[in-house]
Structures are given as structure tokens and as C-alpha cells.
Amino acid sequence: MQKILVANRGEIALRILRTIRKMGIRSVAVFSEPDRNAPHVLYADEAVCLGPAPSTQSYLNGKAIIAFAKQLNVDGIHPGYGFLSENAAFAQMVEEAGIVFIGPSPEAMRIMGSKLAAKACVKKYNVPMVPGVDTAIEDVAMAKKTAAAIGYPVLIKASAGGGGKGMRVVEKEADFEEQMQRASSEATSSFGDGAVFIEKYVACPRHIEIQVLADKAGNTVHLFERECSIQRRHQKVVEESPSSILTPALRKAMGAAAVMVAKSCNYFSTGTVEFLMDEQLNFYFLEMNTRLQVEHPVTEMITGIDLVEEQIKIARGELLGFSQEDITINGHALELRVYAEDPFNNFLPSIGTLTTYSPPSGDGIRVDDGYKEGMSIPIYYDPMIAKLVTHGKNRIEAIQKMKEAIAAYKIEGVSTTLPFGSFVMQHDAFVSGKFDTHFVKTFYSPEKIKAQQQAKARAAAIVALHYWIEEQKITRAVENKSTSWKRRLA
Ligand code: MV4
């Protein structure tokens, strides 16, 4: 594989290009008009403009990407995450064009892209699933009986849904039929597929996902878990590895279950198996993501494995170079997603130019970013500026490094979620590890950040006053000394 095209933008495009260069492979970047001077474009060996800003005319334009790839004699295409990364039809078109898709097979994508197909596939492997039904509901009366059997509250989910879309909690039987109708019509209009199913609602879950890696010969390993419960409206904001509540036995069991899920669909490349964990530490298979995830750096930091390098090796037909026993957890890693969003304005995107942009650096700090000082944040794409990742010998050290890195991160011109990151890092519920997916809803308010910033400002003022007073004392002492010398000399 001599030349790889990265069909993405921003931090993940640059991150992938760095590994491609590290492997001595030539690289091609693609970009839309607003991204013409983006770091990933300048970094690649070659770059080609896909067209105007809208994603459908650029990063989602699979046909154009493949045409350029063929024109430039590209051997492999890496999709990154988002955009076309889980589009089975695109992966298929790439393969049919004689180019290697650096990711899983289109078949695995199709199976895991449907919640119901995923459940049916996984069911045979005794992977724990949330009590409920795992076939599309055809008969509402029958479904009502099932809901009564599993016990309210139940959750109605769209098979084609994801990321929390197409989910409805039903608290009591009287609401069931109406909610069922709404869920199905919403799924039809949102996803073009009205298939819905029901599960027992897990009230205060943690979201723990397992990274899996498999080669084309079926060798499959897991690279431990990522705790992703600190989310806002189903958007992860803080992720970490390892999780603060997993015991070695639970880690082994969840890892084995995740490997089973991968084997159930003959998976290869990187993948992530999502689980819900209830308050009794029971875990349940949720879904499998057939892409490299945003939060993959925390896994890389504790295992020392470059997941993009592994993806490229697997795509080239190489076997995994290590066994499960070779993979160990070293220390603790945290990731904070830095979005150009205003935490004081309901996290709405903050449009503007990075008049100051100076990321932190140092031992145990990794910043995966896709912008430079002076660049504007385009309105067309996800407003993530960077991922701030810290690694320590344990969780406390990783948290301390994160606090210091946030303080050292200089961004002006847009509002960012950095203050929200500080809020999380200093919160007792987070530091103690006693949190679930309701953390943000339960503990966060803009006033909390304002209070925290005011407390910091007060502390800084007190320190500054202390030093000023000390300085005054020194100045006065020196003045008194020189006066007395003058008197003696007079
Ligand atoms: C659930 C659940 C509770 N009970 N399923 C959210 C997105 C998708 N990954 C599945 N999700 C959930 N499924 C049952 N039976 C709660 C959620 C959920 C959630 C899960 C993980 C992380 C964050 C979440 C936020 C809200 C709801």
C-alpha cells in the first residue's frame, strides 16, 4: 500500500495523516473550499479539492472521492469517523473500484448498522442483552404483553436509530400504545425505517465501551474499556480509560463479550462494542460501532498501540502482531473534547476566528487538533476544535494533568467547552467515580461554571495582593535602609 487517501477533515484527518507518514506511506488529503488552508491539507503529500462547503458536496460525496482516488493512483482510503465511515455502500464502491477500504467489511457494517440485526447476530453468542424483545414489533397488543412481562419503565427504540435518536421511555402501560405509534412514525420519518423494539429501561446506566481489534484471519483481541458516561445530549464530552468501577473480573468478562460480538459478524479492523452497565454492575450489549471512534486516543495512551497503524496493517492483510496476553493497561488516560460551543449559552456553536490558539504540551499531554491560530471555525461541520488527552500513572494524576492542561490551553475568539472540562475535573461525583450518564443533567448549570470562575478570580486576586504587600514591605525596608545609610554618611 503505497498511497492512502484520508476521506475526512479536522483533527482526525491530521491524526491519521501523521500515522501514514510515520509508516512511510504517501498521503492524499481531500478538502472543501473553506478547508483549503486547513492543517491536514498542508500536511499531506498531495491534496485535492472536493468542492463547496456543504458536506453533501464534499466529504459525503463518495463518488467524487473515489474518482479522485483512482486518478491519483491511491491504494487505500481511510474514512476516519463520521461522514462516510459507516456507510456500507461507500465501502463497497471503494472495494469495487479496486481500492482497499481501511475499515471493516461492508457486510459487518450492514449487520451492526441495524440494532435488530446486531441483536439477532449477537444473540447466538450468549452476550448479555437488556431484557426485552429483539425483533421488530408487528403486533402492538403482543408488545404490550411483553412490556408488562419485563416490567415498566420500558424503552422503545428505533432499529435504525443511534446516539439516542428514536428512543422513548414509557413509564406506564396506559401510555404504551400512543408512544409506540409515535416512536414508529418518528423512526419512519427520521431513518426511513419504522422498525422499533422494546427493552427494559435501565434507569441510571453507565456507558462503557470496549475497543476491539481483529485481523482478516479472525484473530480478535480487545483493548480494554473506555468510560463514556459524561455525555451531554448523547454527545460524549469526557472519556477515560480504564473505568473507575470495573474490577479485573468485570473487565475480563466484558472484554470476552466484546470479542464474541466481533466474531459474531466476522469482524476485522477496529471496532467498538458499547455496553450499558446498571447500578448492580450488570452489563448489557447495546450496539457495535464499526469505525475508529473519536475517543480512541485514551486507549492508545494506556496500551501504547497506534490503532490507525493497526488498521492499515490489517487492511494490508497482515496478522495482528500481538496476543491478548501481550496487551496491558499502563496508567490512566482522560480525554476532554474541546468544542467551539458556548457552555453559557446552552452549548450552542460559537462561531468565530481563533484570534489566539495555543495548545498545552508536556509530559503526559496529547492534543489532537485540526486548527491553527487565525483560522475560522467553519459553520458547516462539527464544531470540535481538538481533543485534549492526558495520561498519568493513575487516575488522580491524569485528572491533575487535565486541570493544568485546561488552564494552559489558550483559546480566544470563540467560546469553548474548556470551562466545562474544569467543572467536571473538580466535581466530587466525577473525582469519586460515582457518576452515570445523567451527570451533566444532574450536576451541571452555567451558574456553576460562573461561580467556579469567580472563585478562581478571587483566589488569583488574593495571591496577587499578597505578593504586592510583600513587595511593598521589601521596598519600604530597602528605602529605610538607604535612608539610615545616608544619615550615617552625612
Ligand atoms: C438505553 C438506556 C437505558 N435503558 N437502553 C442512548 C444511545 C444509545 N447508545 C442507547 N442509549 C441508551 N439506551 C436501555 N434499555 C439509556 C441510554 C442512554 C444512554 C446510553 C449511553 C450513554 C448515554 C446515554 C444517555 C441517555 C440514554
Side-chain angles (χ1 to χ4, degrees):
M1 201 175 280
Q2 306 304 314
K3 191 188 281 189
I4 296 175
L5 180 149
V6 179
N8 215 300
R9 65 177 298 281
E11 67 87 14
I12 193 61
L14 188 55
R15 181 260 172 276
I16 293 166
L17 287 163
R18 285 204 172 100
T19 290
I20 291 169
R21 179 177 293 183
K22 178 182 86 171
M23 296 175 78
I25 298 170
R26 291 179 55 72
S27 62
V28 176
V30 295
F31 61 93
S32 64
E33 273 308 328
D35 284 340
R36 180 170 288 277
N37 298 310
H40 79 280
V41 176
L42 307 177
Y43 184 88
D45 297 314
E46 297 174 77
V48 62
C49 182
L50 292 174
S55 298
T56 48
Q57 298 173 57
S58 52
Y59 300 103
L60 285 175
N61 185 346
K63 284 192 170 54
I65 290 169
I66 292 171
F68 280 121
K70 287 180 73 62
Q71 198 181 317
L72 296 170
N73 297 317
V74 159
D75 308 296
I77 291 179
H78 195 304
Y81 55 66
F83 294 123
L84 295 166
S85 62
E86 294 188 288
N87 184 316
F90 173 70
Q92 182 127 5
M93 278 197 312
V94 169
E95 299 286 345
E96 284 164 1
I99 299 169
V100 175
F101 180 79
I102 300 172
S105 66
E107 296 73 35
M109 279 190 203
R110 284 195 185 95
I111 292 171
M112 294 302 170
S114 151
K115 303 268 171 306
L116 283 170
K119 281 173 163 254
C121 180
V122 163
K123 195 176 173 73
K124 303 188 283 289
Y125 289 75
N126 295 322
V127 172
M129 288 200 267
V130 183
V133 295
D134 38 31
T135 52
I137 289 172
E138 309 292 343
D139 171 349
V140 179
M142 175 61 80
K144 209 168 170 181
K145 284 203 181 78
T146 311
I150 56 181
Y152 286 91
V154 298
L155 196 60
I156 302 174
K157 283 185 175 178
S159 178
K165 294 192 188 71
M167 283 187 353
R168 282 173 172 274
V169 181
V170 183
E171 298 290 350
K172 55 187 188 297
E173 185 163 80
D175 305 335
F176 187 83
E177 292 194 29
E178 184 196 349
Q179 291 287 24
M180 178 58 74
Q181 295 308 336
R182 287 190 182 176
S184 185
S185 55
E186 219 174 70
T188 306
S189 55
S190 309
F191 315 112
D193 171 359
V196 293
F197 59 98
I198 53 175
E199 290 179 346
K200 175 78 181 151
Y201 179 57
V202 179
C204 298
R206 291 176 83 120
H207 179 171
I208 297 180
E209 60 188 32
I210 303 278
Q211 179 70 59
V212 294
L213 189 62
D215 62 26
K216 292 181 176 176
N219 299 303
T220 308
V221 296
H222 70 84
L223 278 70
F224 310 116
E225 77 276 7
R226 290 187 290 261
E227 170 83 61
C228 303
S229 300
I230 307 294
Q231 303 196 10
R232 203 186 55 78
R233 289 200 202 134
H234 299 289
Q235 181 191 75
K236 297 164 187 167
V237 191
V238 173
E239 302 101 341
E240 65 181 302
S241 183
S243 164
S244 50
I245 58 152
L246 282 203
T247 61
L250 261 175
R251 177 168 295 116
K252 193 163 187 280
M254 291 180 84
V259 166
M260 282 295 112
V261 170
K263 287 185 181 289
S264 74
C265 61
N266 300 312
Y267 199 80
F268 58 78
S269 193
T270 55
T272 296
V273 181
E274 287 191 4
F275 293 96
L276 277 184
M277 178 164 276
D278 67 17
E279 293 171 285
Q280 291 72 42
L281 301 188
N282 301 305
F283 61 90
Y284 307 101
F285 169 71
L286 261 186
E287 55 198 67
M288 179 178 193
N289 300 322
T290 56
R291 66 177 185 274
L292 181 69
Q293 302 235 161
V294 171
E295 60 270 23
H296 76 275
V298 296
T299 300
E300 296 187 321
M301 297 290 266
I302 65 153
T303 60
I305 292 171
D306 178 335
L307 286 170
V308 171
E309 182 174 6
E310 294 306 319
Q311 282 186 297
I312 293 170
K313 287 178 174 176
I314 289 164
R316 291 190 309 206
E318 293 174 38
L319 301 183
L320 290 187
F322 42 77
S323 66
Q324 190 65 59
E325 292 65 41
D326 298 329
I327 311 168
T328 56
I329 296 177
N330 166 34
H332 198 101
L334 284 166
E335 177 183 88
L336 169 67
R337 299 188 189 195
V338 185
Y339 285 98
E341 294 175 340
D342 185 354
F344 296 108
N345 188 13
N346 200 21
F347 291 90
L348 289 175
S350 172
I351 310 300
T353 301
L354 296 172
T355 50
T356 303
Y357 181 76
S358 170
S361 60
D363 176 45
I365 295 176
R366 167 176 164 176
V367 178
D368 284 10
D369 58 6
Y371 292 95
K372 286 275 178 267
E373 185 163 299
M375 285 183 68
S376 301
I377 310 288
I379 57 171
Y380 306 96
Y381 314 114
D382 179 273
M384 185 161 72
I385 298 172
K387 295 164 351 194
L388 174 55
V389 187
T390 58
H391 178 271
K393 61 178 179 298
N394 54 43
R395 188 167 190 262
I396 294 299
E397 187 180 282
I399 290 175
Q400 186 52 36
K401 284 190 178 183
M402 181 60 81
K403 286 178 175 177
E404 290 162 8
I406 291 171
Y409 212 142
K410 300 302 172 217
I411 301 181
E412 287 168 9
V414 294
S415 302
T416 74
T417 50
L418 284 168
F420 175 76
S422 290
F423 165 78
V424 175
M425 290 302 133
Q426 59 76 41
H427 199 284
D428 292 345
F430 179 76
V431 175
S432 68
K434 293 187 174 64
F435 56 84
D436 59 37
T437 56
H438 302 296
F439 174 90
V440 176
K441 198 169 52 184
T442 308
F443 298 112
Y444 171 72
S445 71
E447 292 65 42
K448 297 272 177 75
I449 293 193
K450 281 197 183 87
Q452 183 190 357
Q453 288 185 326
Q454 282 159 358
K456 274 184 186 168
R458 258 196 308 277
I462 289 167
V463 169
L465 183 63
H466 166 79
Y467 280 109
W468 184 80
I469 291 168
E470 290 306 306
E471 207 175 85
Q472 291 307 308
K473 283 179 187 169
I474 293 166
T475 312
R476 206 164 299 121
V478 167
E479 280 166 358
N480 294 344
K481 198 82 158 165
S482 65
T483 312
S484 69
W485 270 108
K486 280 178 192 153
R487 273 204 213 102
R488 281 195 206 144
L489 289 177

